[in-house]
Amino acid sequence: MIKFTTAGESHGRALVATVEGLPAGMPVDLGFINNELERRQWGYGRGGRMKIEQDQVEILSGVRHGLTLGSPLALVIENKDWQNWTEVMAVEPRDIDPEKSRRLKRPRPGHADLAGGQKFDARDLRNVLERASARETAARVACGALAKQLLVAFGAEIRSHVVQLGGIPDVPLELSWDQLAAIPEDAPLRCADLKIQQRMIESIDQRREAGDTLGGIFEVVARGLLPGLGSHTAWDLKLDGRLAQAVMSIPAVKAVAIGAGTEASSLPGSEIHDEIAYNSETKEFIRETNRAGGLEGGVTNGEEVRIRGYMKPLSTLRRPLRSVDIDTKQDEPAGFERSDITAVPAAGVVAESMVALVLASAMKDKFGGDSLGEMKRNFEGYREQLRGY
Ligand code: EPS
């Protein structure tokens, strides 16, 4: 199993992460990790903070001369904005002028502020905001970039794209791997259809003017996976469940769908299940359709894994919603500092990382091994087994 933990506050000194379970001897490309971090920062509709941060990872342990050692990796990503928050976010006790304390006491509807404050008995909701902030996802992307490097060693790749933003288009886009592979990295919204992307941009501009925010749907696609990852034998081993949890854990994601997703509940079985065929040349069982999204019974079936995340609009609104001051209990507008208008393309990149971590973990469960070489031998042995099946 591959385990990772992140720590760090949005305006604290740094984000940190540890990753355990990667096999020894796996190449680690720092440039690749940093490129993934840059991809997450990209996207039309981001706010002022993204002009301050230039996320770069530093690896403190677990890698020597470009290869993993099999020991835990420790990662650090500096928060450049911390320079502006050294007093407010100081580790040592401080007596700060209440005017300068940046205390939050008017919780934002939709954010973790109020529920988290009640839970932790925090009278300054900043104590909740700082960790609930999606800033934390930068650390996940650094971990996910390592998982991607493991998957690449086994011929698997992962991409994401935006299929709907703020309800545009009416019906979410459905694209082949080749179509989404053709999306340029600098596409403002990681959307394959230029006309639709332009309409999305206009909608973001309108919402910005209105002091509002927008959600949307992203899709993650993973291909090159053998059948047999995950397991039908126990609820917590089912890969669809593990993927759903991983994607649902991304801030603002309110629903997750695999393959045809919710449509599968309204169509008859004859229109949903993917009929099975056999390719005698490649000696592979195949499906001509992929409404199952690459997963049957919680196990990969060799088709592309397709998973969608439905993201609600961000809960920090320049034109704030009604809230209540936690001191006075009087109606007050919710707090506002600065915010993104939308972050759906960024959430797609975070979801790629989360999916990569779950898939890499499932690969490790199936093929085991302490070194990459051992894992590859086990993988090849299984591939041989499949050819003879
Ligand atoms: C976020 C609010 C904004 C976003 C932040 C997530 O930060 P700030 O409050 O500093 O303006 O920019 O996202 C990131 C910093 C990031 O790296 O993605 C929030 O409240 O969730």
Side-chain angles (χ1 to χ4, degrees), residues 219-222 225 240 243 257-261 272 274 289-296 299-307:
E219 182 180 48
V220 177
V221 185
L225 300 163
D240 42 8
L243 287 166
I258 293 179
I272 275 295
D274 307 304
T289 54
N290 184 18
R291 292 181 284 249
L295 287 153
E296 288 170 304
V299 182
T300 53
N301 63 9
E303 301 298 327
E304 289 169 357
V305 168
R306 287 190 173 247
I307 180 160

Coordinates of all heavy atoms in Angstrom, one line a residue, residues 219-222 225 240 243 257-261 272 274 289-296 299-307:
E219 N -13.2 15.7 -15.5 CA -13.1 14.2 -15.7 C -11.6 13.8 -15.7 O -10.8 14.5 -16.3 CB -13.7 13.8 -17.1 CG -13.7 12.3 -17.3 CD -14.3 11.8 -18.6 OE1 -14.0 12.4 -19.6 OE2 -15.1 10.9 -18.6
V220 N -11.4 12.7 -15.0 CA -10.0 12.1 -15.0 C -10.1 10.8 -15.8 O -11.0 10.0 -15.6 CB -9.5 11.9 -13.6 CG1 -8.2 11.2 -13.6 CG2 -9.5 13.2 -12.8
V221 N -9.1 10.6 -16.6 CA -9.1 9.3 -17.4 C -7.7 8.7 -17.2 O -6.7 9.4 -17.3 CB -9.3 9.6 -18.9 CG1 -9.4 8.3 -19.7 CG2 -10.6 10.4 -19.2
A222 N -7.7 7.4 -16.9 CA -6.5 6.7 -16.7 C -6.5 5.5 -17.7 O -7.5 4.8 -17.8 CB -6.3 6.1 -15.3
L225 N -4.0 0.4 -17.9 CA -4.1 -0.5 -16.7 C -4.5 -1.9 -17.0 O -5.5 -2.1 -17.8 CB -5.1 0.1 -15.7 CG -4.8 1.6 -15.2 CD1 -6.1 2.2 -14.6 CD2 -3.7 1.6 -14.2
D240 N -13.5 1.1 -7.1 CA -14.4 2.2 -7.4 C -14.7 3.0 -6.1 O -14.7 4.3 -6.1 CB -15.7 1.8 -8.1 CG -16.3 0.5 -7.5 OD1 -15.8 0.0 -6.5 OD2 -17.3 0.0 -8.1
L243 N -11.5 5.0 -5.2 CA -11.4 6.2 -6.1 C -12.4 7.3 -5.8 O -12.1 8.5 -5.7 CB -11.5 5.8 -7.6 CG -10.4 5.0 -8.2 CD1 -10.8 4.3 -9.5 CD2 -9.2 5.9 -8.4
A257 N -18.8 10.5 -10.2 CA -19.4 9.5 -11.1 C -18.4 8.7 -11.8 O -17.4 9.2 -12.2 CB -20.3 10.2 -12.1
I258 N -18.6 7.4 -11.9 CA -17.7 6.5 -12.7 C -18.4 6.0 -13.9 O -19.5 5.6 -13.9 CB -17.2 5.3 -11.8 CG1 -16.4 5.9 -10.6 CG2 -16.5 4.3 -12.6 CD1 -15.8 4.9 -9.7
G259 N -17.7 6.2 -15.1 CA -18.3 5.8 -16.4 C -19.6 6.6 -16.6 O -19.7 7.8 -16.4
A260 N -20.7 5.9 -16.9 CA -22.0 6.5 -17.2 C -22.6 7.1 -15.9 O -23.5 7.9 -16.0 CB -22.9 5.5 -17.8
G261 N -22.1 6.7 -14.8 CA -22.5 7.3 -13.5 C -24.0 7.3 -13.3 O -24.6 6.2 -13.4
I272 N -26.8 -0.3 -20.9 CA -25.7 0.2 -20.0 C -24.5 -0.8 -20.0 O -23.4 -0.3 -20.0 CB -26.3 0.4 -18.6 CG1 -26.9 1.8 -18.5 CG2 -25.2 0.2 -17.5 CD1 -25.9 2.9 -18.7
D274 N -21.5 -3.2 -20.9 CA -20.6 -3.2 -22.1 C -20.4 -4.7 -22.5 O -19.8 -5.4 -21.7 CB -19.2 -2.6 -21.7 CG -19.4 -1.2 -21.1 OD1 -20.0 -0.3 -21.7 OD2 -19.0 -0.9 -19.9
T289 N -17.8 -0.6 -25.9 CA -18.2 0.6 -25.2 C -17.6 0.6 -23.8 O -17.0 -0.5 -23.4 CB -19.8 0.6 -25.0 OG1 -20.1 -0.7 -24.4 CG2 -20.5 0.7 -26.3
N290 N -17.6 1.7 -23.1 CA -17.0 1.7 -21.8 C -17.9 2.5 -20.8 O -17.5 3.5 -20.2 CB -15.6 2.4 -21.9 CG -14.9 2.3 -20.5 OD1 -15.3 1.6 -19.6 ND2 -13.9 3.2 -20.4
R291 N -19.2 2.1 -20.7 CA -20.1 2.8 -19.8 C -19.7 2.5 -18.4 O -20.1 3.2 -17.5 CB -21.5 2.5 -20.2 CG -21.9 3.1 -21.6 CD -23.3 2.8 -22.0 NE -23.4 1.4 -22.4 CZ -23.7 1.1 -23.7 NH1 -23.8 2.0 -24.6 NH2 -23.8 -0.2 -24.0
A292 N -19.0 1.4 -18.2 CA -18.6 1.0 -16.8 C -17.5 1.9 -16.3 O -17.1 1.8 -15.1 CB -18.2 -0.5 -16.7
G293 N -16.9 2.6 -17.2 CA -15.8 3.5 -16.8 C -14.6 2.7 -16.3 O -13.8 3.1 -15.4
G294 N -14.4 1.5 -16.9 CA -13.2 0.7 -16.7 C -13.2 -0.1 -15.4 O -12.2 -0.7 -15.0
L295 N -14.4 -0.1 -14.7 CA -14.4 -0.8 -13.4 C -15.7 -1.7 -13.3 O -16.8 -1.2 -13.6 CB -14.4 0.2 -12.3 CG -13.1 0.8 -12.0 CD1 -13.3 2.2 -11.4 CD2 -12.2 0.0 -11.1
E296 N -15.5 -2.9 -13.1 CA -16.7 -3.8 -12.9 C -16.4 -4.6 -11.6 O -15.3 -5.2 -11.4 CB -16.8 -4.8 -14.1 CG -17.3 -4.1 -15.3 CD -17.3 -4.9 -16.6 OE1 -16.2 -5.4 -16.9 OE2 -18.3 -5.2 -17.2
V299 N -13.2 -3.8 -9.7 CA -12.0 -4.3 -10.2 C -11.8 -3.7 -11.6 O -12.8 -3.5 -12.4 CB -12.0 -5.9 -10.4 CG1 -10.7 -6.4 -10.9 CG2 -12.4 -6.5 -9.0
T300 N -10.6 -3.3 -12.0 CA -10.3 -2.8 -13.3 C -10.6 -3.9 -14.3 O -10.3 -5.1 -14.1 CB -8.9 -2.3 -13.5 OG1 -8.0 -3.3 -13.1 CG2 -8.6 -1.0 -12.7
N301 N -11.1 -3.5 -15.5 CA -11.4 -4.5 -16.5 C -10.5 -4.3 -17.8 O -10.7 -4.9 -18.8 CB -12.9 -4.5 -16.9 CG -13.3 -3.2 -17.6 OD1 -12.5 -2.3 -17.9 ND2 -14.6 -3.0 -17.8
G302 N -9.5 -3.4 -17.7 CA -8.6 -3.2 -18.8 C -9.0 -2.0 -19.7 O -8.1 -1.6 -20.5
E303 N -10.2 -1.5 -19.5 CA -10.6 -0.3 -20.3 C -10.1 0.9 -19.5 O -9.7 0.8 -18.4 CB -12.1 -0.3 -20.5 CG -12.7 -1.6 -21.2 CD -12.2 -1.7 -22.7 OE1 -11.9 -0.7 -23.3 OE2 -12.0 -2.9 -23.1
E304 N -10.3 2.1 -20.2 CA -9.9 3.3 -19.5 C -10.8 3.5 -18.3 O -12.0 3.3 -18.3 CB -10.2 4.5 -20.5 CG -9.2 4.6 -21.6 CD -9.7 5.6 -22.7 OE1 -10.7 6.2 -22.5 OE2 -8.9 5.8 -23.6
V305 N -10.1 3.9 -17.2 CA -10.8 4.3 -16.0 C -11.3 5.7 -16.2 O -10.4 6.6 -16.4 CB -10.0 4.1 -14.7 CG1 -10.6 4.8 -13.5 CG2 -9.8 2.6 -14.4
R306 N -12.6 5.9 -16.1 CA -13.1 7.3 -16.2 C -13.9 7.7 -15.0 O -14.9 7.0 -14.7 CB -14.0 7.4 -17.5 CG -13.2 7.3 -18.8 CD -14.0 7.6 -20.0 NE -13.1 7.8 -21.1 CZ -12.8 8.9 -21.8 NH1 -13.5 10.0 -21.5 NH2 -12.0 8.9 -22.8
I307 N -13.5 8.8 -14.4 CA -14.2 9.2 -13.2 C -14.4 10.8 -13.2 O -13.5 11.5 -13.7 CB -13.3 8.8 -12.0 CG1 -14.0 9.2 -10.6 CG2 -11.9 9.2 -12.0 CD1 -13.5 8.4 -9.5

